[in-house]
Amino acid sequence: MSRPAPISAVLGILVLLWVGYAVPAWAQAVRPTFENRIEPIAPTSAQAAELFGLDRTPVLIREEGDVPGWSVATAEGPVGYIASTWEIARSVGYSGRPLDALVALDLQGRIAGATLTRHSEPILTLGLSDADIERFVGGFAGVDMAAPDEGTDGPDMPDIISRATVSTGVIRDSILRTARTLAIGRGVLSGGGIDRVGFAPAGWSELEAQGALAHALVTMSQARAELPGASPPIPEGEEAFIELWTGIVDPPTIGRNILGQQQYSRAVGALGPDEVVLFVASRGLYSHRGTSWRRSGVFDRLTLVQGDVRLPLTDAGYTRVDKLPLADAPDLKERSLFRLDGAAFDVTKPFVLELTASRQTEAGGEVSFVTTLPYALPEAYIIAPPPEAAPLWQQSWQERRFAVMTVAAMQIALTLILLFQESLVRRPALWRGLRLGFLSVTLVWLGWILNGQLSVVQVIAFVQSLLTGFHWETFLIEPVIFTLWAGVALGLLFWGRGVFCGWLCPFGALQELSNVAARKLGVPQIAVPHALHERLWIIKYTLFMAILALSFYSMKDALILAEAEPFKTAISMRMMRAWPFVLFVVALLTAGLFIERFYCRYLCPLGAALAIPAKLKIFDWLHRRPQCGRECRLCETKCTVGAIDPLGRINANECVLCLRCQVVMNDPQTCPVLKRRQRKPVSQAGGEGPKSAEA
């Protein structure tokens, strides 16, 4: 029966909460400080000439503002623009470090070229040439930012960088996002907003039905109830105290139909780039303008509200309209146009026009009430911004949904195995067949086919991302790896590191299966003395700490040291690598033929990294007997990784949950304790000798 460990459970939950919520939040708070210390890499004139394919040296002019970058021009005139992905998109790679590329955009809104200037990516640091990288980045040339998904092969993941989905995906998204922002910021592409070109004839009632004109009515009776004690008193009735209309008249279909061509041209002809015109009209007893604006310059009865923004209407942008050309327009008393600063609020989003009505009372005070008139410019008059390329992680999850489902199915199957292990370990043949079958699937399907091999590099990348700016999108780019890590994280909490190391690690499966074959062929096994065995553990923990510490100094050097992992060579690249790497893998596997899981026991930095949080596991799922380590040490000799000490205790830091010790304990043909219990007393009546005194 499993025994809960309350202290570990509490600590585990607290750590999960801290990692899941507090640490990313802290990272986001720290990130601006980190980012401000890193300057974008400025392009040279030679780089600009190469990006735009110029035969002469251009002039670069630095431009600041919301979209900083560089303008590129020659003696003949402007050529285009260049921007840094780090400066625009704050692109952070899989390593957790800044990733910077220069993106060149021509005057037609197409990417002229791109070049990678800064990175610390694992896949780019080792195993690929500069030509591979430049060919991939250069593949974005010719992509039309008006429809990036319909351009050349650039925005699709090129197959030239094999098994580099994460790193090249980050590069892809940062280049496309930067190019789109640059195109909109420089006016090469419309960033969306009001349709100021399209026109169709429409009457007042039609515009009102569309929502292009909003309408509100306050009757005399309603105003009387809202203004008690007003002097003179407001009479009862259904007549209009004030009937109000409002609308944005910049779209020609609205403005030209309401104002007529001449008045519309005067109203919008002198507008600045961020300015819009608000139309307000009313009739009834009360005026929406009043008279105090003549002294103060502010129309204190009207206020435009959008979220937390309250925008007063002033006489600086006011124009009185004497009459309207529309035949079906109501008999209006007042008609006004107000020029507004569109930068102060988003005209494409809903807003509210507030009208404040007030009256003096007989007692000498004042009463007032506010009428609200909500308005939203109909979508028919709003131009959508150019489409943004879908993030690669969404495309990856869609394309690899079958792979993700199979990984999830493997994790569910493993969960059932561990939950119902008591029934499984009592059937040695079933356990052996199930384990060898599961490890075979892990090696072939999860490892060689899906490339689902976790690595200490991912642990280092996660730590670095927490410190320099956490981005879920970076880790979501590779669905299989993300799904694996999600399951392993939960497994660490409940069972410890063995969930991955013992069942879901392709290289671990390769070692165990090769050792099984070696035993079948009679290869002698070396029993490492326990004292030496324990001391050799130091190697993997030291190696992990060295990689982690080195990553804070140089990510490139840390990734070189991480080559102590044979995973990339044996699993990801299937031995198709330079001979020193292949020789290293062969040496490890050869050692594993004589010492089962040799690499897992003494050298694996990933196993060391997982063993540290595994200290927080909630349950103790493996059983021991009082006789273990005292009367019997069979499990110690059978343990896959030597995780059982001479006293019979299981070291959770080293255990890979293979369940072999549980099979031995429950096998009456193997376990000495069960053998003694099954020994029957000999019947004296049958003349077969005295009864055995053993229990």
Side-chain angles (χ1 to χ4, degrees):
M1 182 176 180
S2 62
R3 299 186 300 275
I7 296 178
S8 296
V10 173
L11 288 175
I13 292 171
L14 289 176
V15 168
L16 282 179
L17 289 174
W18 181 68
V19 172
Y21 297 96
V23 175
W26 172 80
Q28 294 298 335
V30 172
R31 186 181 175 209
T33 303
F34 162 77
E35 291 177 347
N36 292 336
R37 296 199 304 264
I38 300 177
E39 295 293 332
I41 297 177
T44 63
S45 297
Q47 282 179 318
E50 183 178 353
L51 289 172
F52 285 99
L54 303 175
D55 55 4
R56 64 187 65 185
T57 302
V59 176
L60 277 73
I61 302 173
R62 173 67 179 177
E63 294 186 8
E64 303 294 344
D66 294 336
V67 184
W70 295 267
S71 294
V72 182
T74 62
E76 286 76 21
V79 174
Y81 311 96
I82 296 177
S84 157
T85 61
W86 169 246
E87 190 171 31
I88 299 295
R90 282 300 187 245
S91 48
V92 177
Y94 192 65
S95 63
R97 297 298 180 87
L99 190 153
D100 199 0
L102 293 174
V103 182
L105 187 78
D106 65 20
L107 300 178
Q108 287 72 45
R110 293 188 298 268
I111 296 178
T115 182
L116 194 63
T117 56
R118 176 196 284 138
H119 72 82
S120 299
E121 293 301 272
I123 194 67
L124 301 182
T125 303
L126 296 166
L128 291 173
S129 67
D130 291 339
D132 293 330
I133 302 169
E134 287 301 326
R135 189 161 59 251
F136 171 77
V137 176
F140 292 91
V143 175
D144 187 355
M145 295 316 300
D149 287 326
E150 299 176 8
T152 68
D153 292 336
D156 299 325
M157 288 303 300
D159 296 329
I160 53 173
I161 300 184
S162 178
R163 303 178 187 276
T165 308
V166 176
S167 297
T168 50
V170 172
I171 295 172
R172 168 198 182 273
D173 287 349
S174 62
I175 288 177
L176 293 179
R177 189 161 60 249
T178 299
R180 180 179 184 273
T181 303
L182 185 63
I184 294 174
R186 295 294 180 268
V188 176
L189 296 178
S190 171
I194 299 174
D195 179 6
R196 301 177 185 273
V197 177
F199 173 77
W204 183 279
S205 58
E206 186 177 350
L207 293 173
E208 194 170 341
Q210 292 176 0
L213 287 171
H215 171 247
L217 170 65
V218 180
T219 66
M220 292 290 192
S221 297
Q222 291 171 333
R224 181 183 177 90
E226 295 286 349
L227 301 172
S231 178
I234 299 173
E236 292 278 0
E238 295 303 313
E239 295 82 6
F241 175 76
I242 184 167
E243 192 170 7
L244 192 66
W245 288 267
T246 192
I248 297 294
V249 296
D250 293 61
T253 300
I254 302 175
R256 280 176 55 187
N257 283 308
I258 292 176
L259 302 174
Q261 180 63 59
Q262 188 174 9
Q263 285 191 106
Y264 174 75
S265 298
R266 285 200 303 266
V268 302
L271 289 179
D274 292 326
E275 292 181 329
V276 295
V277 177
L278 179 71
F279 172 71
V280 181
S282 65
R283 65 181 178 183
L285 180 65
Y286 198 72
S287 167
H288 71 258
R289 291 195 295 241
T291 57
S292 62
W293 65 272
R294 299 181 184 276
R295 299 184 299 274
S296 65
V298 177
F299 291 84
D300 57 354
R301 298 186 177 186
L302 296 174
T303 305
L304 190 148
V305 181
Q306 187 177 61
D308 296 331
V309 177
R310 298 184 65 84
L311 193 66
L313 305 182
T314 66
D315 63 353
Y318 164 66
T319 301
R320 191 183 74 180
V321 177
D322 293 327
K323 71 180 207 176
L324 302 177
L326 278 179
D328 63 337
D331 185 15
L332 300 170
K333 180 180 177 181
E334 294 177 328
R335 295 154 295 272
S336 308
L337 296 177
F338 297 97
R339 189 171 68 250
L340 306 175
D341 182 4
F345 78 110
D346 189 347
V347 71
T348 64
K349 299 291 191 295
F351 61 87
V352 173
L353 182 67
E354 290 184 352
L355 171 70
T356 302
S358 59
R359 282 289 180 92
Q360 296 293 322
T361 64
E362 295 178 354
E366 186 177 84
V367 289
S368 63
F369 72 94
V370 176
T371 297
T372 60
L373 182 54
Y375 182 81
L377 189 65
E379 292 185 3
Y381 303 107
I382 299 175
I383 300 175
E388 186 172 4
L392 185 64
W393 70 266
Q394 295 181 4
Q395 178 183 334
S396 297
W397 281 81
Q398 181 66 23
E399 292 176 350
R400 306 205 69 187
R401 57 186 182 275
F402 177 73
V404 170
M405 287 189 291
T406 60
V407 174
M410 291 180 66
Q411 293 176 321
I412 292 171
L414 178 56
T415 301
L416 295 176
I417 290 173
L418 297 177
L419 285 176
F420 299 101
Q421 60 181 264
E422 286 83 358
S423 299
L424 177 63
V425 296
R426 289 185 174 89
R427 299 168 175 82
L430 176 61
W431 165 81
R432 187 176 299 105
L434 185 60
R435 177 156 179 80
L436 294 178
F438 198 102
L439 291 178
S440 299
V441 173
T442 296
L443 174 61
V444 177
W445 176 253
L446 183 60
W448 286 333
I449 296 177
L450 297 186
N451 195 26
Q453 174 69 66
L454 302 188
S455 166
V456 72
V457 172
Q458 294 149 5
V459 177
I460 301 302
F462 181 76
V463 172
Q464 291 291 340
S465 70
L466 292 180
L467 298 175
T468 57
F470 189 82
H471 296 267
W472 279 113
E473 296 83 356
T474 302
F475 297 92
L476 286 167
I477 287 177
E478 181 45 72
V480 169
I481 297 297
F482 185 88
T483 305
L484 265 177
W485 271 117
V488 169
L490 286 176
L492 287 174
L493 181 62
F494 295 113
W495 289 286
R497 58 169 282 206
V499 169
F500 172 72
C501 296
W503 296 86
L504 294 171
C505 177
F507 189 75
L510 176 60
Q511 290 181 95
E512 187 164 332
L513 292 172
S514 60
N515 183 266
V516 169
R519 288 173 184 266
K520 294 283 188 183
L521 296 173
V523 175
Q525 299 298 297
I526 300 174
V528 182
H530 188 75
L532 176 61
H533 176 64
E534 281 189 323
R535 285 159 177 77
L536 291 175
W537 291 344
I538 296 174
I539 300 174
K540 62 185 176 186
Y541 290 100
T542 303
L543 183 57
F544 167 66
M545 295 306 298
I547 295 171
L548 178 61
L550 192 58
S551 71
F552 292 98
Y553 169 73
S554 168
M555 179 61 76
K556 180 178 181 179
D557 293 340
L559 296 173
I560 293 174
L561 184 57
E563 283 295 313
E565 283 187 332
F567 304 157
K568 184 188 298 183
T569 303
I571 305 300
S572 301
M573 303 185 75
R574 305 189 194 96
M575 296 292 198
M576 299 177 65
R577 211 173 178 197
W579 70 265
F581 296 101
V582 175
L583 182 61
F584 177 58
V585 173
V586 171
L588 292 177
L589 292 176
T590 302
L593 300 179
F594 299 92
I595 301 175
E596 187 172 7
R597 283 185 176 254
F598 172 82
Y599 176 78
C600 298
R601 293 189 186 203
Y602 308 124
L603 299 178
C604 183
L606 177 60
L610 295 179
I612 296 173
K615 286 275 192 183
L616 301 173
K617 71 185 183 73
I618 295 176
F619 298 105
D620 181 9
W621 297 89
L622 301 179
H623 306 297
R624 297 276 81 197
R625 289 198 179 96
Q627 295 89 345
C628 295
R630 297 168 55 194
E631 303 175 17
C632 175
R633 296 177 60 182
L634 184 59
C635 290
E636 178 190 349
T637 63
K638 297 288 186 180
C639 181
T640 305
V641 290
I644 302 177
D645 66 17
L647 299 179
R649 297 171 301 192
I650 299 175
N651 186 336
N653 291 346
E654 302 301 317
C655 177
V656 296
L657 280 177
C658 66
L659 304 180
R660 186 177 297 178
C661 62
Q662 305 299 291
V663 173
V664 172
M665 283 179 56
N666 288 276
D667 186 1
Q669 306 303 318
T670 305
C671 179
V673 177
L674 293 183
K675 283 182 177 181
R676 289 199 302 270
R677 290 178 181 176
Q678 283 189 329
R679 199 169 298 163
K680 302 285 187 179
V682 180
S683 171
Q684 291 181 351
E688 298 180 6
K691 294 183 179 180
S692 171
E694 285 189 285

